[in-house]
Amino acid sequence: MRTRSNSGVRLDYYQRVVHKLILDHQQPVTGLFPASPHNDHAWIRDNLYCILAVWGLSMAFKKIADQDEDRAKTYELEQSCVKLMRGLLMAMMQQKEKVEKFKSTQHPLDALHAKYSSATGRTVVKDDEWGHLQIDSISLYLLILAQMTASGLQIVFSLDEVAFIQNLIFYIESAYCTPDYGIWERGDKTNHGLPELNASSIGMAKAALEAMNELDLFGARGGPSSVIHVLADEAQKCQAVLQSMLPRESNSKELDSGLLSIISYPAFAVDDPQLIAKTRDAIVIKLQGKYGCKRFLRDGHKNPREDPNRLYYEPWELRMFENIECEWPLFFCYLILDYCFQGDKANVSDYTQRLEKIMLRNDDGIKLVPELYAVPADKADLEQHEPGSQDRIPLGRCPFIWAQSLYILGKLLQEGFLAVGELDPLNRRLCSEKKPDVVVQIVILAEDNEIRDKLLEYDLHAQTIAEVAPIEVQPARVLSYLYTYLGRNKKLGLSGRKSRDVGILSTSKLYSLNDRIFAFTPQFSDMKRFYIASDYELMVDILKAEINFLKSSWQNLLGRPLVVLSLNQMYLDQGRIPMAMITTMKKLKSGYINGTRVTLGNLGDFLSTSAITNLSFLGSQEDGYPDKLNPRVQSYLEEHLLKSLSSKASCLARPAAGGGDRARALRRRMSVRGAIRKTRSINVDSETLGMEGEYAGPGKLERKPSWLEVDRASGRSPSPEDARKKFLANEVVYGGTSTTSLGAGTPTIEVTREQTPSPPKEGNSPGAAKAPRARVASESASVYAEQETDELLAALRETESLDEQGDILQYLVDAHGLDFNTGMLDNGRAVTVRELLKALYEKACAQKLWGLVRHTAGMLGKRVEDLAKAVTDLLVRQKQITVGMPPSNEHTITAPLPENELRQLIHLAYGDDESTAMLTQELLVYLAMFIRTEPQLFLEMLRLRVGLIIQVMATELSRTLSCDGEEASEHLLNLSPFEMKNLLYHILSGKEFAINSVGRGNFSIVSNKSTRYGKKSQIMLEGQSLQGNIDTAPLGEADRQGQWLRRRRLDGALNRVPRDFYPRVWAVLEKCQGLIIQGKILQPNLTQEMTSGELKFALAVETVLNSIPQPEYRQLVVEALMVLTLVVECKAVGHLGGAITVEHLVHKANQLFLDEQRRVGGDATLCCAKAEAGAGAALLCGGAAGVCQHLYDSAPSGSFGTMTHLARAAAALLLERLPHDAPLECAIT
């Protein structure tokens, strides 16, 4: 018998164990593992975890190969791994049409299957019979494929397989916004088959994308065509969403032990060490028990109280599973590996002891890890009263191979047969280590010599685009087109990448193609895209934000990021380079901007320090000419050398003075004046914001003169005359806003949403665009309708004012539709109204008339290019969005929608008010920018109500400028995009601000930090200062007055709540029979269905709070709820009794406040406290919902503060509910 070293003997033992427990079950034909001897289904995820022990053992043998048979064993074990990985690959490739379909639909029924037959590799259940969409299992496959390939195994054999795997990258690319069924295959924990966004899936996808990037699937023998390409931005999006979710797993699971697989081995997906520790600690504290960890709170699987006859749970029964969920030893295995990778020996031995205590032995004396430990049914009550007191019994499969495999890996690491680096050849474990600072390289290119010389005047040296040759500079859209060729394969029927989005991380690299080098300008600087790009101050601002973003997101990428900016004529302001740009360039030259290190230089200087990606996939691979460029790409690149635009502005130029009747033209112009203004729907008046005057109830619908109306009797649209008569019959006027009552008593008016044709999109079918939009309101229209359109066209030619041209075109669109032929000619071609509008839009952009720009953009049906992306960015960070004006027209967006549906929804929400619809799109883009760069602004906000934010912006302007609502909304719509973003920022951050006028009626918003402005807002108008004082300003504008009212109004509009608000409301709900707000009731059974930290619960509370239309009143209701939580937390009483109407507390507090004001002769004696407090008293000061303005304006603390009054109101409420005979015990000593 041969002698063997000790380590050899020990490894032979592990080899016997692995053979007996794992390899004996591997199917000889497909290489897959069946779930159990009686069930031949092979799950992708379980199979991958099973093979890890085999792979680990093969590497251990490779190291000690002191005899030939050891080498043979190594090879045998390695080939078992290859066999399994190829078996899964074949099973998935048989479903290649699903991969192709899923790239476009992301529909659960188009997903690759989660399990296959282990005997044949074919499917075993139908598409709709199982929750197949499990992005984490496909991602795990890619991750382990990458790790095994990096360790030297050859798994992929042909370029067709490479193309398939490239398409699997596209399959998981959108993980950050694709709800799936997750690691436990059940989606929402009620198990009704509702997919959710799962942090564990997103983390695994991020790890797979990073691991596969630039990986050669043929290993050391490959070439450029076997390399996988991943756009870095896709992994970054997963990273951002993951950071915003952890330690939460999903909407219905506030925590999940499955997260251990992404914070440590195998994924190492989290970069932030604090977040890793926070997640691990949460799992250990809330889920760990004696026998392992629970999968998640209220998990019903194999629970003694689970009804085995049905798959799903009723929402109310989830409460029964609390404290008796099954515990899984599997998670001890994860924790052991986690601590091995950290080198924490104490914890490794601690968890190994815990695990080995609960393992079972088989007949051969091998220790086995069981699947789970459950509480016996007869001991469930005892366990529920005292968690952890009862002994549990092992259930499920034994050994549970997934856990057994991880246990063996842990043992190999502990005994020194494997080093952590061998299990992780791609070094993923280092991604949370601290990295050196990123230096951002910046190149500024001038379009031509003229701009270059202008820059030289300021001592800024720039090259022209011609001078950087042979490097070619192209816009980002060219890169996005080139990437659509990635992964195309005719044989497999796979098209390339579907998404056309390329982010800043992708454009910050150089690209090589044969012997050419390309640089791409970032997507945000692409001028063709949208009007916000023509505001250079905003572009400078976005540039700063993007540089900051690069600093934080470039950590794990090679080389230094390179931003190429090209300056063209568009950015010049009256022939000069704007100062905002010059100062920024000087800052860039200094080497630091906003705390980021930058270096400004020539493109050639950065070739050696930048990342260069090879675009070899553009070759004609399938035709057998890999080195020859695909002919279609060739022609695209040739024609894409920058084209110039022929302007239509000539149509609007003034003709030579003809003999037209001047007076008639003037009258004709007057008749359409204000046509644009009539479409506005921003409302700063009382009935929606509850400022002055009583709220006009939900029965009233704010009426815009835009709905297409159909008379029931005649079935035709009413003539303007009929409409006017009807209008006068049903009109109530509040502060200049016409509101039409749609009560039961007026059946004559029908608001038909369906029949409002949505504004035709550009390039739509000709039929859709022809329908002219009927508008009933504009009286001038009815008076002059019969007169000829020619006079208007003549006036259009004559006028120089773009605003008048806008009004005329607005009238023409209303009367004739966008495709009406104006009879003008441009180079012999007839010109339509649409083309005139486009020309006007371009002129307005150039002259920076933003109100007109927004309106014409809306009429042309333009949409922000990144609208869908912006909305998705907000939604995936668990923020819901509503658009439309509250209270009656809000539409909630809870799931990502395609671009055109979003635009239709927004335009439906605002009726005919194009400007506000455009403004909404714009604000959504800014909100998305802020959530990417400053997520802390959005703390404790669940739902962003854009309509309310717009109203508050207008209210703030009207307060600061002391003007009325209509003027304020005009000012708001005329703010430049940069100032709009600025104003939104000040409102989100709650900072005080002042407004400066900068010529031509434009305003600039400045932070009110400097003493120059003091506390008051000032407007500097041509040198004279207009200070808002008490007489001219709205009520309460002295130094300190109005401050708390404003604070509450802002917080209410932004839906901001105090910290841990929702879990605390959950505790209140447990102690009473329900909470009533605005007639809606929060049922106590919500606590049966949901745990306190669950996002679904928070959304339920939020929905009820959102039924309050006035933001400051909503905020007082939140404060009242906080007082109730204090009552519960201090255990002042055992139970709060029946249902509590929260508004009663607020009104009671108001009553107490007014009584006190009368007693001390406070401010409120001038309004509400003056009269005998009756129903009409509230109208005196116009406080929202009948609560005195002065109460809204009181600080929360202090003896006159709102908390004092609310606490007294709560005490009064409890006094009514306590049994009168029982002695009172004081809980506070």
Side-chain angles (χ1 to χ4, degrees):
M1 182 176 167
R2 66 193 176 86
T3 53
R4 194 92 163 99
S5 62
N6 280 344
S7 58
V9 175
R10 191 77 186 128
L11 269 186
D12 286 344
Y13 164 72
Y14 279 121
Q15 197 226 351
R16 282 199 302 281
V17 171
V18 166
H19 247 286
K20 199 166 196 66
L21 299 184
I22 301 177
L23 289 175
D24 274 357
H25 302 292
Q26 189 172 19
Q27 278 283 348
V29 180
T30 58
L32 304 179
F33 295 104
S36 68
H38 324 292
N39 178 356
D40 82 326
H41 295 185
W43 270 262
I44 295 179
R45 186 183 305 98
D46 299 50
N47 272 252
L48 289 165
Y49 278 115
C50 292
I51 207 69
L52 285 178
V54 182
W55 177 51
L57 191 62
S58 76
M59 289 188 288
F61 267 117
K62 194 187 261 179
K63 276 201 298 196
I64 66 137
D66 53 0
Q67 305 195 354
D68 282 349
E69 63 190 83
D70 287 343
R71 286 195 208 68
K73 273 177 192 155
T74 300
Y75 185 72
E76 184 191 332
L77 291 167
E78 284 181 350
Q79 289 315 103
S80 296
C81 298
V82 174
K83 176 98 178 166
L84 172 99
M85 295 300 283
R86 287 195 61 75
L88 287 174
L89 182 61
M90 295 307 111
M92 291 190 282
M93 281 182 80
Q94 284 173 357
Q95 293 199 300
K96 55 187 182 299
E97 44 291 320
K98 279 192 168 300
V99 175
E100 179 58 34
K101 206 167 168 196
F102 185 83
K103 287 191 301 190
S104 310
T105 62
Q106 272 107 45
H107 194 282
L109 295 182
D110 297 329
L112 282 171
H113 281 206
K115 55 179 187 173
Y116 299 94
S117 158
S118 58
T120 63
R122 301 230 169 249
T123 57
V124 283
V125 290
K126 293 202 185 78
D127 292 350
D128 54 0
E129 291 176 349
W130 197 261
H132 286 298
L133 176 51
Q134 295 166 30
I135 290 173
D136 73 305
S137 66
I138 306 294
S139 303
L140 182 67
Y141 177 82
L142 291 171
L143 173 65
I144 289 176
L145 173 68
Q147 293 279 27
M148 286 182 172
T149 304
S151 76
L153 297 187
Q154 172 102 37
I155 292 165
V156 175
F157 293 173
S158 72
L159 287 177
D160 293 326
E161 290 172 9
V162 173
F164 180 76
I165 284 170
Q166 180 67 65
N167 277 274
L168 285 186
I169 294 287
F170 303 146
Y171 182 93
I172 65 166
E173 218 174 34
S174 53
Y176 71 98
C177 60
T178 311
D180 71 339
Y181 293 102
I183 186 169
W184 310 123
E185 308 192 292
R186 38 175 65 190
D188 185 286
K189 70 176 168 201
T190 52
N191 213 8
H192 278 266
L194 306 166
E196 344 177 75
L197 213 51
N198 290 295
S200 52
S201 295
I202 295 171
M204 202 55 86
K206 174 198 183 246
L209 290 169
E210 289 181 343
M212 286 307 259
N213 190 18
E214 303 294 316
L215 180 83
D216 192 329
L217 287 177
F218 291 174
R221 306 194 188 97
S225 47
S226 53
V227 173
I228 293 293
H229 296 271
V230 178
L231 273 81
D233 297 275
E234 304 300 329
Q236 162 54 33
K237 285 177 198 164
C238 291
Q239 152 80 12
V241 175
L242 189 60
Q243 288 217 264
S244 74
M245 287 179 80
L246 289 177
R248 174 185 286 129
E249 159 74 355
S250 69
N251 279 5
S252 71
K253 305 184 193 79
E254 62 175 275
L255 190 59
D256 190 311
S257 296
L259 292 170
L260 289 170
S261 67
I262 64 164
I263 59 172
S264 67
Y265 188 77
F268 299 105
V270 187
D271 299 350
D272 175 359
Q274 286 168 313
L275 194 54
I276 294 175
K278 182 179 173 187
T279 307
R280 185 190 305 113
D281 295 346
I283 290 171
V284 168
I285 292 164
K286 289 190 180 174
L287 300 174
Q288 183 177 304
K290 210 165 32 179
Y291 296 89
C293 298
K294 302 164 178 176
R295 298 191 304 180
F296 47 87
L297 297 174
R298 301 188 178 180
D299 173 14
H301 180 64
K302 299 263 166 96
N303 195 299
R305 298 203 171 135
E306 180 185 45
D307 178 351
N309 302 320
R310 56 186 159 89
L311 271 175
Y312 62 91
Y313 309 126
E314 297 299 346
W316 51 264
E317 66 180 329
L318 288 174
R319 185 66 179 266
M320 306 189 315
F321 304 145
E322 200 161 304
N323 295 334
I324 51 168
E325 303 96 333
C326 297
E327 291 177 358
W328 295 59
L330 161 71
F331 299 113
F332 282 167
C333 304
Y334 274 116
L335 284 162
I336 290 168
L337 286 172
D338 184 5
Y339 288 119
C340 283
F341 273 90
Q342 288 178 49
D344 179 343
K345 291 211 170 90
N347 269 315
V348 169
S349 65
D350 172 34
Y351 277 104
T352 307
Q353 282 168 359
R354 290 184 193 209
L355 179 60
E356 294 186 344
K357 262 192 214 144
I358 55 175
M359 288 169 76
L360 311 170
R361 284 181 186 273
N362 71 357
D363 308 340
D364 303 339
I366 300 175
K367 287 184 188 155
L368 308 180
V369 186
E371 183 171 1
L372 51 85
Y373 276 92
V375 179
D378 52 344
K379 296 188 179 157
D381 291 338
L382 296 166
E383 174 75 14
Q384 210 151 19
H385 282 298
E386 199 186 329
S389 58
Q390 305 301 309
D391 289 333
R392 292 172 176 243
I393 47 172
L395 288 181
R397 290 166 283 181
C398 186
F400 184 40
I401 310 281
W402 174 351
Q404 192 77 32
S405 172
L406 293 179
Y407 168 69
I408 292 169
L409 277 186
K411 294 301 274 185
L412 290 172
L413 284 170
Q414 287 168 60
E415 294 181 23
F417 293 122
L418 275 181
V420 286
E422 291 171 291
L423 271 184
D424 177 29
L426 290 169
N427 294 329
R428 295 217 34 86
R429 64 191 181 287
L430 305 178
C431 77
S432 58
E433 304 283 314
K434 196 155 170 39
K435 313 278 188 315
D437 273 351
V438 173
V439 179
V440 182
Q441 309 171 139
I442 293 179
V443 175
I444 292 171
L445 298 178
E447 189 181 44
D448 49 31
N449 294 348
E450 183 192 344
I451 292 184
R452 184 191 59 186
D453 299 342
K454 283 187 173 150
L455 284 171
L456 266 178
E457 292 169 22
Y458 297 98
D459 195 31
L460 293 163
H461 299 269
Q463 293 171 293
T464 62
I465 292 181
E467 286 169 350
V468 294
I471 301 175
E472 300 174 47
V473 179
Q474 297 273 18
R477 57 176 181 277
V478 175
L479 182 61
S480 81
Y481 174 80
L482 296 181
Y483 264 113
T484 58
Y485 284 88
L486 180 57
R488 286 195 185 183
N489 186 294
K490 288 186 205 127
K491 267 196 259 179
L492 292 170
L494 296 170
S495 68
R497 183 170 184 262
K498 282 280 187 280
S499 158
R500 295 304 287 269
D501 186 44
V502 285
I504 184 87
L505 297 178
S506 307
T507 54
S508 300
K509 297 176 178 176
L510 292 171
Y511 290 84
S512 64
L513 180 55
N514 300 345
D515 43 7
R516 301 156 76 175
I517 292 186
F518 289 99
F520 294 97
T521 55
Q523 206 165 8
F524 71 81
S525 67
D526 199 343
M527 276 304 315
K528 286 221 183 68
R529 297 158 59 81
F530 190 62
Y531 64 79
I532 53 181
S534 57
D535 180 8
Y536 48 80
E537 283 183 294
L538 183 68
M539 300 315 285
V540 167
D541 197 50
I542 294 177
L543 170 67
K544 287 180 191 165
E546 294 288 0
I547 290 174
N548 204 4
F549 175 72
L550 281 172
K551 173 189 167 184
S552 57
S553 305
W554 193 266
Q555 297 293 353
N556 298 319
L557 299 168
L558 299 170
R560 287 178 171 180
L562 169 74
V563 180
V564 179
L565 299 165
S566 91
L567 275 188
N568 54 23
Q569 296 287 348
M570 277 293 295
Y571 288 119
L572 297 187
D573 191 13
Q574 294 157 357
R576 287 199 302 281
I577 296 175
M579 263 338 278
M581 287 191 154
I582 297 295
T583 42
T584 304
M585 287 181 207
K586 290 202 162 149
K587 262 193 195 160
L588 291 172
K589 203 173 163 185
S590 74
Y592 264 92
I593 185 161
N594 295 8
T596 307
R597 286 183 58 198
V598 290
T599 160
L600 193 63
N602 287 342
L603 203 45
D605 309 343
F606 295 140
L607 278 175
S608 55
T609 49
S610 304
I612 301 186
T613 298
N614 187 349
L615 296 174
S616 54
F617 58 85
L618 295 171
S620 311
Q621 196 71 50
E622 293 193 89
D623 305 333
Y625 299 105
D627 301 332
K628 197 169 142 224
L629 206 53
N630 187 321
R632 278 168 54 203
V633 178
Q634 180 80 42
S635 61
Y636 177 83
L637 285 174
E638 280 165 12
E639 76 181 43
H640 229 85
L641 296 166
L642 309 160
K643 299 184 209 132
S644 66
L645 293 166
S646 65
S647 170
K648 300 226 173 38
S650 54
C651 309
L652 294 178
R654 296 189 60 178
D661 179 355
R662 273 295 157 92
R664 222 170 64 207
L666 186 69
R667 193 182 70 226
R668 160 73 36 222
R669 264 202 320 262
M670 294 303 294
S671 69
V672 294
R673 167 160 296 161
I676 288 185
R677 202 175 248 221
K678 288 197 175 80
T679 63
R680 304 273 195 256
S681 70
I682 300 180
N683 189 348
V684 190
D685 297 321
S686 51
E687 72 270 32
T688 47
L689 275 176
M691 315 277 160
E692 309 77 27
E694 192 58 299
Y695 160 58
K700 313 270 193 289
L701 176 61
E702 184 203 344
R703 170 161 187 89
K704 296 178 224 87
S706 61
W707 304 114
L708 179 66
E709 298 187 340
V710 176
D711 201 313
R712 278 199 175 161
S714 62
R716 65 176 173 85
S717 293
S719 69
E721 294 311 301
D722 305 4
R724 255 190 89 226
K725 285 178 206 147
K726 268 194 204 173
F727 235 161
L728 297 174
N730 296 301
E731 192 154 51
V732 209
V733 174
Y734 279 96
T737 303
S738 120
T739 3
T740 305
S741 146
L742 293 179
T746 53
T748 43
I749 285 217
E750 255 242 288
V751 173
T752 49
R753 282 197 179 192
E754 288 66 48
Q755 283 161 312
T756 313
S758 62
K761 295 186 284 290
E762 296 192 69
N764 209 340
S765 63
K770 274 189 191 124
R773 276 179 295 172
R775 177 190 301 259
V776 189
S778 140
E779 299 194 10
S780 49
S782 63
V783 181
Y784 291 106
E786 302 77 46
Q787 303 234 2
E788 282 309 309
T789 316
D790 303 347
E791 291 178 33
L792 270 185
L793 292 170
L796 182 64
R797 284 198 193 88
E798 276 168 26
T799 175
E800 297 214 321
S801 144
L802 292 189
D803 284 324
E804 284 186 17
Q805 294 183 3
D807 281 340
I808 294 173
L809 287 173
Q810 168 74 47
Y811 171 73
L812 286 175
V813 171
D814 290 337
H816 303 284
L818 274 171
D819 290 328
F820 173 67
N821 182 350
T822 58
M824 297 187 190
L825 293 177
D826 171 33
N827 299 336
R829 244 178 67 250
V831 178
T832 61
V833 176
R834 184 194 301 271
E835 285 166 341
L836 291 179
L837 259 180
K838 272 189 192 158
L840 178 64
Y841 167 74
E842 281 160 23
K843 269 179 151 178
C845 274
Q847 292 187 26
K848 315 268 185 271
L849 299 171
W850 298 112
L852 191 56
V853 167
R854 289 190 175 96
H855 192 80
T856 47
M859 286 170 69
L860 286 167
K862 286 193 175 295
R863 57 170 185 249
V864 186
E865 303 267 323
D866 294 338
L867 183 60
K869 188 175 143 225
V871 168
T872 305
D873 275 346
L874 293 164
L875 290 173
V876 294
R877 288 173 176 81
Q878 297 89 58
K879 308 287 174 220
Q880 294 194 342
I881 302 162
T882 69
V883 295
M885 290 298 173
S888 48
N889 242 351
E890 287 194 276
H891 297 257
T892 307
I893 304 171
T894 53
L897 291 171
E899 203 105 359
N900 47 355
E901 281 182 38
L902 264 176
R903 211 190 117 258
Q904 273 173 328
L905 180 72
I906 290 173
H907 282 265
L908 175 75
Y910 294 102
D912 243 13
D913 183 359
E914 304 288 4
S915 316
T916 314
M918 278 333 276
L919 181 55
T920 298
Q921 296 192 31
E922 204 180 310
L923 291 179
L924 286 170
V925 171
Y926 301 152
L927 286 167
M929 280 178 197
F930 291 142
I931 207 165
R932 272 177 63 189
T933 51
E934 301 189 55
Q936 70 279 4
L937 287 178
F938 295 84
L939 284 175
E940 310 300 337
M941 286 159 59
L942 276 184
R943 192 168 282 163
L944 302 166
R945 299 166 76 187
V946 184
L948 202 50
I949 291 176
I950 292 176
Q951 288 189 351
V952 167
M953 285 165 96
T955 312
E956 285 290 280
L957 282 184
S958 107
R959 181 183 67 87
T960 338
L961 296 171
S962 318
C963 60
D964 69 2
E966 192 174 335
E967 253 183 279
S969 52
E970 274 306 304
H971 287 316
L972 178 67
L973 288 165
N974 277 305
L975 283 181
S976 76
F978 172 68
E979 296 303 347
M980 187 70 76
K981 176 170 181 260
N982 223 345
L983 177 60
L984 178 64
Y985 180 80
H986 278 88
I987 280 178
L988 279 177
S989 58
K991 288 183 180 147
E992 294 284 332
F993 62 88
I995 291 185
N996 282 349
S997 171
V998 197
R1000 280 204 323 206
N1002 286 352
F1003 295 103
S1004 108
I1005 287 147
V1006 281
S1007 286
N1008 218 346
K1009 287 186 209 125
S1010 56
T1011 47
R1012 225 157 29 113
Y1013 298 110
K1015 266 279 175 255
K1016 279 178 211 158
S1017 304
Q1018 293 178 339
I1019 316 153
M1020 316 305 257
L1021 283 171
E1022 289 114 45
Q1024 83 215 42
S1025 115
L1026 259 176
Q1027 285 209 312
N1029 60 20
I1030 300 214
D1031 314 324
T1032 58
L1035 182 106
E1037 269 304 318
D1039 265 78
R1040 278 265 131 61
Q1041 263 183 312
Q1043 211 177 325
W1044 280 104
L1045 169 63
R1046 174 175 176 271
R1047 187 59 277 147
R1048 288 196 170 93
R1049 192 172 281 165
L1050 288 185
D1051 282 343
L1054 295 169
N1055 290 7
R1056 205 177 249 131
V1057 295
R1059 258 190 123 153
D1060 294 330
F1061 174 70
Y1062 300 108
R1064 292 165 90 171
V1065 171
W1066 190 89
V1068 172
L1069 213 45
E1070 278 223 298
K1071 294 270 188 273
C1072 68
Q1073 240 98 83
L1075 292 167
I1076 302 170
I1077 298 169
Q1078 279 274 307
K1080 295 191 175 174
I1081 183 163
L1082 272 174
Q1083 298 284 0
N1085 63 355
L1086 286 178
T1087 58
Q1088 308 280 319
E1089 294 173 32
M1090 304 168 193
T1091 55
S1092 62
E1094 207 172 296
L1095 195 64
K1096 273 166 62 181
F1097 176 73
L1099 286 168
V1101 177
E1102 175 75 9
T1103 307
V1104 171
L1105 282 174
N1106 276 357
S1107 59
I1108 303 175
Q1110 309 95 328
E1112 58 269 54
Y1113 184 46
R1114 176 190 198 272
Q1115 225 32 36
L1116 273 189
V1117 170
V1118 168
E1119 285 175 43
L1121 282 167
M1122 285 307 284
V1123 169
L1124 288 175
T1125 65
L1126 292 172
V1127 171
V1128 170
E1129 281 163 26
C1130 298
K1131 301 198 169 58
V1133 287
H1135 198 269
L1136 295 174
I1140 299 174
T1141 309
V1142 186
E1143 285 128 309
H1144 286 177
L1145 274 181
V1146 177
H1147 287 290
K1148 179 79 180 159
N1150 185 41
Q1151 202 55 53
L1152 293 165
F1153 168 76
L1154 293 179
D1155 293 346
E1156 186 165 57
Q1157 286 284 307
R1158 286 192 196 96
R1159 212 175 57 245
V1160 299
D1163 287 347
T1165 47
L1166 299 173
C1167 52
C1168 307
K1170 179 171 61 178
E1172 276 312 301
L1179 288 176
L1180 288 170
C1181 72
V1187 175
C1188 180
Q1189 283 274 29
H1190 292 285
L1191 179 61
Y1192 285 125
D1193 205 17
S1194 311
S1197 54
S1199 55
F1200 294 101
T1202 50
M1203 289 312 247
T1204 312
H1205 298 301
L1206 285 166
R1208 285 167 59 198
L1213 170 92
L1214 292 177
L1215 201 60
E1216 296 164 15
R1217 301 190 168 208
L1218 286 176
H1220 290 293
D1221 44 359
L1224 282 178
E1225 293 223 2
C1226 180
I1228 300 162
T1229 49

